Amino acid sequence: MTALSDSTPPTAPLGTVALVTLGCARNEVDSEELAGRLEADGFRVVADPEDAETVVVNTCGFVEAAKKDSVDTLLQAADLKADGGARAVVAVGCLAERYGRDLAESLPEADAVLGFDDYPDVAARLRSLLAGERHQPHTPRDRRRLLPISPAARDASTVVVPGHQTGHQTGQQTGHQTGSTVAAPDLPASGAPASGPRAVRRRLDGGPMAPLKLASGCDRRCAFCAIPSFRGSFLSRRPADVLSEARWLADQHVKELFLVSENSTSYGKDLGDLRLLETLLPELAAVDGVERVRVSYLQPAETRPGLVSAIAATPGVAPYFDLSFQHASGPVLRRMRRFGDPDSFLGLLGQVRAQAPRAGIRSNVIVGFPGETEEDLETLCDFLVAARLDVVGVFGYSDEDGTEAASYDGKLDEDEIRERTEHVSRLVEELTAQRAEDRVGERVDVLVESVRGGVAEGRAAHQGPEVDGTTSLVDAPHGTRVGDLLAAVVTASDGVDLVAEVT
């Protein structure tokens, strides 16, 4: 995210807007599409909130810590307004969509709370706000029977006329759009096909990796998860649109495409081909300028052998498996409305490593779910020892508004959840450090993301962005630049981070 400082800013130039992004890579794409819409409609996007007339905070509503971070960031932005810099602070994103009117009433420091349905007209919303009009926040509604903001992209030279899109009234995705189109306004040089109607995308981060949205929404009903209630039903983007945006990103000097969605294993099911991702991956890897394609968020129960092979063996695709296990105990998983057990999960990991022995594998687990016994916890820990995962995110259970699990009996008290979470976290820290140490002597290809003081830092194929550790190249050749892909040999490890020498 963009940092907010405490210094007193000067009055910001009119028509400037800064976007502060919290949460996941899907939010990063949303922010870049909002930036594209705003810039195409005459706003000037700036990097620093202190230089902006309007600060837009793209919030996260996933767990309590993320919600608090979002509220704190909105308050920091409001301080800029109080100091005479920004004129308006606007909340968008998952927290804004999920709580709408309640958030607006509890946080008057935000001048507007915009839901997803406001995104296509975000420029008009900001203009009316700056003109002194009061925006009425939306009343949150359960979007599980609704499509998300449509991921149907279009060519950057045209704009789909509102009211002429098919599929929205019936809740079905037809895979095409009908109706008239009109010439787009003069688009910025950074204009790109994007995952929302009448949108362009403007990169906010010039790094060599960029998220690329495969789909929006989710059809699963995990008992602990509220995402479908505010993100809507699952809707795949058309392969041609994904490829078009991939080519544009390559033109923007992106070397790694990070494919994101709420559930990448479901990609194509609403387009009539559940194996569409397997055929799309080689095409994305073949885009000129793209060095690496990485897939995020795979549901273990839906991860089929063909997809394992496509990720493990396709040249240019990182052998990286982001498998959301959440737990290993069969009874706990069934209460979570999920599927699996240690044997099936270890079998899946065996399939992966049979084809890509050095594959990167990460996961998340929830500890202290209602009804979790000591035996369940022991099953989880035994699985983690056997699984040899590279990275594991450990989360203590907490009730989420509107979820099935919030109504469950058998809740553990907070102290017990904290103790169990700390126990699993300590185990994971030890196991992942061992896994990183096992990579000493391994040959890796490192995508350079920063160069400071003669040390280049980046990520190997088994390391996902931001959450999976980094690889430092202490002997990077003179002239090494961000975006270079360098072959190296791992010489040391520090936790999940690696040190390597260029070969």
Side-chain angles (χ1 to χ4, degrees):
M1 62 167 280
T2 303
L4 300 176
S5 75
D6 297 326
S7 59
T8 302
T11 301
L14 298 179
T16 52
V17 59
L19 290 101
V20 180
T21 306
L22 303 165
C24 65
R26 296 180 291 279
N27 261 14
E28 293 178 25
V29 178
D30 288 348
S31 286
E32 293 193 350
E33 292 175 5
L34 288 171
R37 288 184 172 100
L38 290 166
E39 198 168 69
D41 219 336
F43 282 85
R44 183 163 66 88
V45 177
V46 296
D48 192 338
E50 292 187 2
D51 298 330
E53 182 185 26
T54 304
V55 180
V56 177
V57 179
N58 192 349
T59 61
C60 178
F62 183 49
V63 293
E64 286 304 318
K67 296 175 194 174
K68 182 180 184 303
D69 192 21
S70 294
V71 171
D72 289 346
T73 303
L74 284 163
L75 291 173
Q76 290 178 52
D79 288 343
L80 298 179
K81 183 177 61 174
D83 290 338
R87 290 178 54 199
V89 173
V90 177
V92 299
C94 293
L95 191 71
E97 174 65 30
R98 189 175 178 184
Y99 294 104
R101 188 178 300 277
D102 289 342
L103 179 63
E105 291 176 355
S106 63
L107 196 73
E109 291 86 352
D111 298 280
V113 176
L114 304 183
F116 294 154
D117 291 333
D118 291 306
Y119 283 15
D121 300 310
V122 63
R125 299 288 186 272
L126 295 197
R127 282 202 175 88
S128 66
L129 184 65
L130 293 170
E133 298 178 24
R134 187 71 181 170
H135 176 77
Q136 293 299 315
H138 70 287
T139 300
R141 54 181 175 166
D142 192 328
R143 301 185 70 97
R144 280 175 287 195
R145 295 185 180 274
L146 303 172
L147 295 179
I149 297 299
S150 171
R154 48 84 185 150
D155 184 86
S157 63
T158 60
V159 175
V160 178
V161 176
H164 290 273
Q165 297 175 349
T166 63
H168 288 262
Q169 289 74 29
T170 63
Q172 300 296 315
Q173 168 68 5
T174 63
H176 66 278
Q177 295 175 324
T178 63
S180 58
T181 58
V182 297
D186 291 336
L187 299 179
S190 56
S195 66
R198 300 187 296 119
V200 292
R201 178 174 176 179
R202 179 196 188 279
R203 291 212 70 203
L204 298 174
D205 179 359
M209 183 282 299
L212 175 57
K213 195 182 292 184
L214 281 176
S216 295
C218 185
D219 288 338
R220 297 187 68 91
R221 296 295 179 264
C222 301
F224 54 83
C225 183
I227 288 176
S229 68
F230 56 86
R231 277 288 184 181
S233 299
F234 186 86
L235 187 62
S236 301
R237 295 182 69 191
R238 296 171 298 181
D241 297 330
V242 177
L243 281 165
S244 179
E245 188 167 341
R247 295 186 186 101
W248 175 80
L249 288 168
D251 289 341
Q252 303 297 306
H253 310 294
V254 169
K255 302 296 184 182
E256 179 178 313
L257 303 175
F258 185 43
L259 306 184
V260 299
S261 73
E262 276 73 25
N263 179 9
S264 297
T265 39
S266 284
Y267 178 71
K269 72 174 186 178
D270 52 332
L271 299 179
D273 186 356
L274 190 54
R275 290 181 286 274
L276 204 53
L277 185 55
E278 287 97 305
T279 59
L280 180 61
L281 286 174
E283 295 184 74
L284 289 169
V287 171
D288 286 344
V290 170
E291 299 281 0
R292 193 156 67 195
V293 178
R294 186 184 304 275
V295 184
S296 72
Y297 210 83
L298 304 172
Q299 284 284 352
E302 298 178 22
T303 304
R304 51 207 173 266
L307 182 55
V308 170
S309 296
I311 295 174
T314 302
V317 175
Y320 174 83
F321 292 81
D322 178 11
L323 293 162
S324 176
F325 291 123
Q326 301 299 356
H327 211 280
S329 165
V332 173
L333 287 165
R334 286 191 289 275
R335 285 194 294 274
M336 287 179 169
R337 303 292 186 193
R338 295 176 68 87
F339 305 94
D341 53 41
D343 288 342
S344 64
F345 290 166
L346 291 173
L348 175 58
L349 296 178
Q351 292 178 40
V352 169
R353 288 173 173 143
Q355 299 183 63
R358 309 303 292 178
I361 306 174
R362 81 171 323 274
S363 191
N364 297 312
V365 297
I366 297 173
V367 179
F369 192 76
E372 181 190 68
T373 65
E374 291 283 356
E375 183 180 359
D376 294 325
L377 185 67
E378 184 177 350
T379 297
L380 173 60
C381 292
D382 289 345
F383 166 73
L384 292 172
V385 171
R388 297 171 53 243
L389 304 175
D390 290 278
V391 177
V392 183
V394 182
F395 298 90
Y397 173 80
S398 62
D399 286 338
E400 281 294 316
D401 297 336
T403 61
E404 181 182 351
S407 67
Y408 281 1
D409 295 330
K411 300 277 180 64
L412 281 66
D413 65 48
E414 291 184 5
D415 288 342
E416 179 65 21
I417 292 174
R418 183 170 57 255
E419 288 177 9
R420 293 187 181 193
T421 302
E422 291 173 353
H423 172 70
V424 176
S425 296
R426 288 193 297 270
L427 174 64
V428 160
E429 185 176 358
E430 179 182 351
L431 293 172
T432 54
Q434 290 174 0
R435 179 65 175 154
E437 188 175 357
D438 289 344
R439 293 190 180 274
V440 173
E442 181 178 333
R443 298 182 65 85
V444 292
D445 292 322
V446 179
L447 180 66
V448 176
E449 296 184 326
S450 67
V451 181
R452 298 185 184 91
V455 176
E457 185 176 88
R459 289 175 296 107
H462 72 279
Q463 296 171 317
E466 297 185 1
V467 291
D468 290 355
T470 61
T471 300
S472 296
L473 302 172
V474 295
D475 64 338
H478 179 71
T480 295
R481 296 178 299 177
V482 169
D484 288 347
L485 190 68
L486 301 180
V489 174
V490 179
T491 58
S493 64
D494 181 9
V496 296
D497 297 324
L498 302 179
V499 178
E501 294 181 356
V502 177
T503 59

